[in-house]
Amino acid sequence: GAGVSQSPRYKVAKRGQDVALRCDPISGHVSLFWYQQALGQGPEFLTYFQNEAQLDKSGLPSDRFFAERPEGSVSTLKIQRTQQEDSAVYLCASSLAGLEQFFGPGTRLTVL
Amino acid sequence: DAKTTQPTSMDCAEGRAANLPCNHSTISGNEYVYWYRQIHSQGPQYIIHGLKNNETNEMASLIITEDRKSSTLILPHATLRDTAVYYCIVRVSILTGGGNKLTFGTGTQLKVEL
C-alpha cells in the first residue's frame, strides 16, 4: 500500500522567502509528526497532531514555523522568512494511535 | 525519555551477524526500547521494540539485559542493503499515557562490506 508521501522532495529558497512543505500520511493514521534533520544529526521533533488537533508544538524553533492539518489528513509545514539555519531535511511521519511511526522520504530544504 | 548511548560506527562483513549495542542505564520501568534505521536519503524505518523480554521479527532480534540497562539489536545475516544509521530510542508507551514523539540521538553508522 501507499506509504507517507512528501512534496516537494527538494526545495531551494532565497533567504527571506516563505515555503510550504506538504505531507500526505497513510490513510487512516490519526497521528502525524514533523521532524527536522540537520546534516549528520538525528531527526529532531517539531510538532505532533492527533487528527486535526495540534497537541504538541514544543519543538518548533521559532514563531516563523507553523504547521496545520485542517481536515485531519494532509498536513502542511510552513516556514516564513526563511533563514540559512532552516536548511535541513524535514521529515513527516504518521502512526495509528501511538504505534510505530512510518516516515516519509523527507523534503530537503536549502536556503541560500 | 531516558538517554541512550551508542557507538558512532561499526563495520560488518556481509552474511555475518551484526550486533549493535545500546546503553540506556537510566531507563524507567515503563519505558520501551525502540530501534529505527535510516538508509541514506530515506526516512527512518521502524525495526523492532521491546520492554523487557527478548523480541524477534522478520527483520531483527532485540536482546534486553535483565536489568534493562542495555540492549543489543541483532541482524542475523547482514547484507549490503543493511548499511544504514541505526537509532536506539527509549520512550514511554502511548498506552500508558506517555508522549508520542521520538527522541533520536546520533545513532550508529553500520557499514556492511563484502
Side-chain angles (χ1 to χ4, degrees):
Chain A
V4 177
S5 61
Q6 294 185 245
S7 61
R9 290 292 316 277
Y10 303 90
K11 177 68 178 178
V12 178
K14 292 183 179 178
R15 190 173 58 179
Q17 282 185 332
D18 298 348
V19 298
L21 312 180
R22 177 187 169 106
C23 172
D24 286 80
I26 293 172
S27 178
H29 279 195
V30 299
S31 300
L32 186 144
F33 305 80
W34 284 98
Y35 293 84
Q36 179 190 58
Q37 186 171 24
L39 189 65
Q41 302 297 313
E44 291 192 359
F45 171 79
L46 292 177
T47 188
Y48 157 64
F49 290 85
Q50 185 167 311
N51 294 306
E52 68 278 3
Q54 189 174 19
L55 298 185
D56 186 349
K57 52 182 181 179
S58 62
L60 296 177
S62 77
D63 58 7
R64 297 185 296 103
F65 286 71
F66 172 76
E68 60 183 6
R69 194 186 185 198
E71 299 179 356
S73 55
V74 172
S75 177
T76 303
L77 177 67
K78 298 180 179 178
I79 309 174
Q80 298 177 324
R81 304 181 303 281
T82 53
Q83 304 295 315
Q84 284 190 321
E85 61 263 29
D86 300 336
S87 295
V89 175
Y90 291 86
L91 294 160
C92 175
S94 69
S95 74
L96 269 174
L99 300 180
E100 64 264 25
Q101 296 181 23
F102 293 84
F103 284 80
T107 293
R108 180 177 297 278
L109 173 65
T110 302
V111 182
L112 302 176
Chain B
D1 295 333
K3 182 182 167 111
T4 62
T5 304
Q6 300 177 251
T8 302
S9 63
M10 293 182 65
D11 294 334
C12 179
E14 188 177 35
R16 304 297 295 269
N19 298 286
L20 293 95
C22 180
N23 287 324
H24 31 79
S25 59
T26 60
I27 192 170
S28 299
N30 63 347
E31 289 183 312
Y32 286 69
V33 180
Y34 281 75
W35 284 83
Y36 280 73
R37 74 179 183 183
Q38 188 173 24
I39 295 169
H40 184 62
S41 296
Q42 297 183 20
Q45 175 191 24
Y46 166 82
I47 301 173
I48 199 168
H49 76 281
L51 182 63
K52 54 183 178 180
N53 297 321
N54 298 337
E55 302 288 343
T56 294
N57 62 21
E58 65 279 3
M59 289 184 69
S61 295
L62 174 60
I63 308 299
I64 302 174
T65 58
E66 192 169 345
D67 63 7
R68 302 206 326 120
K69 293 185 177 183
S70 65
S71 61
T72 301
L73 179 74
I74 301 172
L75 308 179
H77 304 287
T79 71
L80 297 179
R81 289 178 295 178
D82 292 321
T83 293
V85 178
Y86 287 77
Y87 296 100
C88 170
I89 299 166
V90 170
R91 60 169 283 197
V92 176
S93 168
I94 184 60
L95 299 176
T96 61
N100 291 281
K101 63 186 179 186
L102 295 172
T103 302
F104 292 82
T106 51
T108 296
Q109 171 67 63
L110 175 68
K111 184 176 181 182
V112 181
E113 301 171 308
L114 292 171

